[in-house]
Amino acid sequence: MSTPRKIRLVVLISGRGSNLQAILDQAASGELPVEVAAVISNRLGVHGLERARQAGVPALELDHKHFADRPEFEAALIELIDQQQADLVVLAGFMRVLTAGFTEHYRGRLFNIHPSLLPKFRGLHTHERAIEAGETEHGASIHFVTAELDGGPIIVQARVPVLVGDDADTLAARVLEQEHRLYPLAIRWFAEQRLRLEGDQLYFDGQALTAPLRLESFTVA
Ligand code: GAR
């Protein structure tokens, strides 16, 4: 099989950057055919920026507080991303709501990772809410981003059990381990041109998806 062309990836973060690290590690090992062109954080001095520097990737800061409103911040963010000639933009713990102006600009080439089995538990505090709701299963989703918050077409999900005695931290840790496998996989599919968004319909290997893909179908336990 021929080696796929490396795509240019921009990763947006707001904090710790453990998903970013999983992406950087697989890019460095060659498992992931991407060049991480830049990491951009809307919060200054976060640990994810240090992870980017350690990997030799430009670590850029764009403080949303310096802008009068959301559209102004997003216009600057678009300019910064487009300077990198990004093929794909991924939100990895990027904790700003994005308007339609931004999401439409990157339609079909903007991913988010969300710590729940969407459409359940959009928004914040997903682990607490899953426990409170008495869920026996929880997980994480990768989806294309649209203007609807955590609402775009879902590509792939990873499931974990909710165990007796779990609190938000133990459950979050179990989910996060899966997130680190899930995000690089979805990015690889995009780089290999196996994923396509047409209107609101998602195609995988040329087939229209009627339900999200499941991580366990693609990996050995
Ligand atoms: C991850 O759990 C990610 O799913 C979540 O933030 C965490 C970031 O961790 N994202 C959201 O909640 C988006 N709404 P990380 O900085 O270590 O990758």
Side-chain angles (χ1 to χ4, degrees):
M1 212 171 77
S2 64
T3 316
R5 178 185 81 91
K6 281 192 179 181
I7 62 162
R8 288 178 68 77
L9 182 72
V10 167
V11 185
L12 304 188
I13 62 166
S14 299
R16 175 179 61 181
S18 71
N19 277 290
L20 165 67
Q21 189 68 58
I23 295 164
L24 291 169
D25 289 348
Q26 287 208 14
S29 73
E31 277 169 277
L32 199 51
V34 303
E35 182 180 345
V36 184
V39 171
I40 304 173
S41 175
N42 68 305
R43 293 217 182 98
L44 307 183
V46 296
H47 185 55
L49 291 165
E50 185 51 34
R51 294 181 193 265
R53 283 185 210 105
Q54 289 290 329
V57 169
L60 312 176
E61 294 175 323
L62 191 70
D63 186 352
H64 62 272
K65 293 197 232 61
H66 284 173
F67 296 88
D69 56 23
R70 224 175 264 279
E72 264 192 33
F73 166 65
E74 289 179 359
L77 188 55
I78 287 174
E79 198 180 328
L80 203 53
I81 294 169
D82 288 353
Q83 279 167 9
Q84 316 300 326
Q85 296 180 308
D87 297 300
L88 177 66
V89 180
V90 302
L91 311 179
F94 183 72
M95 304 307 277
R96 295 295 295 168
V97 170
L98 295 165
T99 71
F102 188 93
T103 60
E104 283 306 309
H105 185 85
Y106 295 107
R107 193 173 176 87
R109 54 192 185 105
L110 179 61
F111 285 2
N112 182 41
I113 187 162
H114 183 76
S116 80
L117 294 173
L118 290 170
K120 288 186 176 177
F121 309 117
R122 294 178 182 182
L124 299 174
H125 310 299
T126 58
H127 309 301
E128 288 92 325
R129 286 159 61 208
I131 291 171
E132 274 165 25
E135 299 285 339
T136 55
E137 201 177 43
H138 185 48
S141 307
I142 310 290
H143 65 95
F144 276 103
V145 179
T146 60
E148 192 186 349
L149 182 68
D150 299 328
I154 304 163
I155 301 164
V156 60
Q157 295 182 317
R159 289 158 193 274
V160 302
V162 180
L163 302 179
V164 175
D166 263 341
D167 60 23
D169 291 341
T170 57
L171 185 54
R174 193 173 308 119
V175 172
L176 195 62
E177 205 181 312
Q178 298 306 312
E179 291 187 36
H180 296 162
R181 303 166 68 203
L182 197 61
Y183 223 167
L185 182 66
I187 293 168
R188 182 149 61 80
W189 288 339
F190 185 90
E192 293 171 348
Q193 299 184 312
R194 297 178 69 183
L195 274 178
R196 196 173 83 245
L197 185 65
E198 262 179 39
D200 285 332
Q201 179 62 56
L202 196 57
Y203 291 84
F204 181 69
D205 287 344
Q207 303 286 321
L209 282 189
T210 52
L213 298 165
R214 295 170 71 126
L215 177 65
E216 65 269 23
S217 311
F218 295 90
T219 50
V220 271

